[in-house]
Amino acid sequence: MKSKCYRGARLDHKPGIPGDLVVFVASEDGGQYLLPHAELHSPTGFEWGYGGAGSADLAYSILVDYLGDTERSERLHQDFKRAFIVPLDRSSSWTLEDDTIARWLAEH
């Protein structure tokens, strides 16, 4: 599997006001693309830092992109959300490396 890194950021973030969210996927060949929203729960898109629908969709979308397997991603996304997406600071940028995902998947 090719190496990937997931990066999330809020654009035009101001204290107390959630900014627009973007999640990029960077690959080992230097390419980068926006993570597609694979909608399961949230019609309005991604979120992080809490346990709601936007966080669930972010977890699911990362797993779909990483695994290429919607069935396995759907089975695992709530546990993945609790492990990685909920603990993120809502106002901060973040990075999630593929080796971290691989280790987590090996345990699940």
Side-chain angles (χ1 to χ4, degrees), residues 6-10 18-25 33-65 77 80-81 85 88 90 94:
Y6 298 87
R7 292 188 175 103
R10 289 191 187 275
D20 291 330
L21 303 174
V22 292
V23 179
F24 291 101
V25 184
Y33 57 93
L34 285 173
L35 180 67
H37 178 205
E39 185 180 332
L40 269 184
H41 308 284
S42 174
T44 58
F46 299 142
E47 187 55 82
W48 58 77
Y50 84 113
S55 295
D57 275 10
L58 176 56
Y60 178 66
S61 296
I62 289 171
L63 289 173
V64 167
D65 183 80
H77 80 282
F80 187 84
K81 175 187 80 171
I85 308 304
L88 294 170
R90 289 188 84 182
W94 53 268

Side-chain angles (χ1 to χ4, degrees), residues 76-96:
L76 295 172
H77 80 282
Q78 291 290 351
D79 289 337
F80 187 84
K81 175 187 80 171
R82 285 187 285 278
F84 295 104
I85 308 304
V86 171
L88 294 170
D89 183 333
R90 289 188 84 182
S91 63
S92 296
S93 299
W94 53 268
T95 300
L96 180 59

